[in-house]
Amino acid sequence: MNCSLSVRRREGFSLVEVMLASVILVLTLVGFLSLTNYLFGLEEDSREVQTATAAATSKIEEIRAYAKESWGLLLNTYNNKDFRVPGLEPATNSPNADTDGFPGKITITTDSADVYTVAVEIRWRHARRNQRLDLVTKITNRG
């Protein structure tokens, strides 16, 4: 009779190894999902800033075109006027909140008889916070 001890070969993973691998996998997935959510938020931010920039630029071009035709009426027509921006909700719940329901505001100041400074401000509510975009330019009556 052979009295040698046979050593059984161990196969598979221990419970500790499986638990550790599971924890690492879960932490990796949570990090990946958080990053994905953050990137979608950045995409939305970018889209809103693009909308605000396009609206402000369009409004300034509208004012420039009007100034060529009716320089004398420009201040009465556009100064301190509010306007809607499709796709953006007015800013709320802050000292700079928009109280009239229009995200856009135009302010024109007189530098001289032939030069005006036109400021277009757009304040809107993003999902997490209020946003603001200011676009300022000068226009002249000299063509």
Side-chain angles (χ1 to χ4, degrees):
M1 170 173 198
N2 192 354
C3 289
S4 67
L5 293 173
S6 66
V7 177
R8 279 180 46 170
R9 192 172 158 191
R10 207 175 96 184
E11 294 189 24
F13 298 104
S14 72
L15 181 60
V16 173
E17 291 171 328
V18 171
M19 293 296 286
L20 184 60
S22 297
V23 167
I24 291 171
L25 180 64
V26 166
L27 290 176
T28 303
L29 287 175
V30 167
F32 179 74
L33 292 174
S34 295
L35 177 64
T36 303
N37 188 36
Y38 176 75
L39 292 176
F40 281 130
L42 285 179
E43 180 184 7
E44 185 178 346
D45 284 349
S46 177
R47 192 172 28 253
E48 289 177 354
V49 169
Q50 183 179 8
T51 299
T53 303
T57 303
S58 175
K59 195 54 76 170
I60 285 178
E61 292 305 318
E62 177 184 322
I63 292 168
R64 283 186 198 276
Y66 187 86
K68 287 181 182 179
E69 302 297 322
S70 306
W71 181 260
L73 300 174
L74 184 64
L75 284 174
N76 289 337
T77 305
Y78 284 100
N79 193 29
N80 293 321
K81 299 295 181 188
D82 299 320
F83 61 96
R84 291 194 187 284
V85 179
L88 298 179
E89 294 296 321
T92 58
N93 301 330
S94 77
N96 293 328
D98 185 41
T99 57
D100 61 9
F102 295 96
K105 181 175 182 69
I106 301 167
T107 306
I108 301 175
T109 55
T110 305
D111 295 345
S112 68
D114 290 333
V115 179
Y116 292 156
T117 298
V118 178
V120 177
E121 174 187 328
I122 300 178
R123 293 175 290 160
W124 72 96
R125 177 76 182 145
H126 179 65
R128 296 181 297 270
R129 66 195 173 282
N130 287 339
Q131 299 277 40
R132 178 176 171 167
L133 178 119
D134 294 300
L135 195 58
V136 179
T137 190
K138 294 192 181 281
I139 58 172
T140 180
N141 190 23
R142 296 182 218 136

